[in-house]
Amino acid sequence: MERQLHIISTGKQSLDQFVAICARVHPYVDAIHVREKMKTAREISEFLTALIKQGVPPRKIIVNDRIDVAVVFGVKGVQLAHHSLSVRKVKPHFPSLSIGCSVHSIAEAMEAEESGADYCIYGHVFATGSKVGVPPRGIESLRSVVNHVNIPVIAIGGIHSNNAEQVLKAGAHGIAVMSAVFFAEDPVGEAKKLKKIIEKMA
């Protein structure tokens, strides 16, 4: 797996705002996660319909939790959380889907690998506004996770263009960001910066 840049919806933007940004930044990212915990399958399908209509390739779209929506739209894959169906149950039925797992420890990362996950997203590495009051796990913790599994580890949590390089130096196979792109004054400029850092570290 080449090093990758993933962007993840914040759940705080309207469909139109989210799609408008994705339409401009998708050339510079490897995956766009539709992570809308409070929305129904029908509402999530509206996000996917709008993304595809605006030219975002389905091969770049990852749906969080909703395997049904991912399969119907034929997108890249699905990201599973602790409350989702297990990878072990999903993978045999949908072998063409790229399946990622959100993990928060070495044990969870090892379980994801053993279950057949294609990659895992680990965090939060740095302090972030989406995890107020929860201490960050830090660079050394990320390094330990990377060293304990063979599947790619994507780092998440408080990552931006000023600290992305140290995350990649710790062994992460990629970075996932939310506010760094979606709340940036210049989302395209920030995505380009992050992609350039990743390419430099490849």
Side-chain angles (χ1 to χ4, degrees):
M1 177 184 181
E2 294 184 0
R3 289 188 163 175
Q4 295 189 344
L5 172 58
H6 293 219
I7 59 173
I8 300 177
S9 66
T10 64
K12 298 176 182 178
Q13 292 168 307
S14 69
L15 184 153
D16 289 343
Q17 290 172 322
F18 174 69
V19 172
I21 293 172
C22 291
R24 293 162 54 212
V25 305
H26 81 79
Y28 313 105
V29 308
D30 300 289
I32 296 171
H33 292 242
V34 179
R35 179 179 180 268
E36 299 290 324
K37 295 181 178 180
M38 305 307 292
K39 290 184 169 54
T40 65
R42 183 184 292 274
E43 289 171 323
I44 292 169
S45 73
E46 291 170 358
F47 272 65
L48 269 61
T49 298
L51 285 172
I52 294 168
K53 185 177 180 181
Q54 286 298 314
V56 176
R59 62 180 172 78
K60 287 190 175 185
I61 300 173
I62 294 174
V63 180
N64 276 50
D65 192 40
R66 296 307 302 241
I67 301 154
D68 51 349
V69 179
V71 171
V72 166
F73 279 82
V75 297
K76 176 184 177 76
V78 65
Q79 179 74 18
L80 302 177
H82 67 279
H83 60 264
S84 306
L85 287 173
S86 68
V87 180
R88 214 182 295 277
K89 283 183 165 55
V90 175
K91 196 72 173 176
H93 297 287
F94 306 105
S96 64
L97 275 182
S98 174
I99 300 180
C101 268
S102 299
V103 302
H104 305 92
S105 67
I106 291 172
E108 288 181 7
M110 292 174 71
E111 169 62 22
E113 179 177 37
E114 187 182 333
S115 298
D118 296 295
Y119 67 93
C120 63
I121 292 184
Y122 174 78
H124 58 294
V125 177
F126 302 112
T128 170
S130 62
K131 301 282 185 181
V132 177
V134 182
R137 292 180 168 85
I139 288 290
E140 289 309 312
S141 175
L142 168 64
R143 195 189 310 275
S144 294
V145 169
V146 171
N147 290 337
H148 277 83
V149 295
N150 293 312
I151 58 173
V153 178
I154 308 293
I156 192 172
I159 300 171
H160 47 72
S161 56
N162 291 330
N163 60 21
E165 189 169 323
Q166 60 178 300
V167 170
L168 297 169
K169 282 181 177 176
H173 297 80
I175 56 176
V177 301
M178 298 169 69
S179 58
V181 167
F182 285 110
F183 292 149
E185 287 187 16
D186 178 11
V188 173
E190 186 65 17
K192 283 182 176 180
K193 279 185 197 175
L194 291 166
K195 188 64 174 174
K196 192 171 182 180
I197 292 167
I198 288 171
E199 289 172 345
K200 183 179 79 170
M201 298 294 293

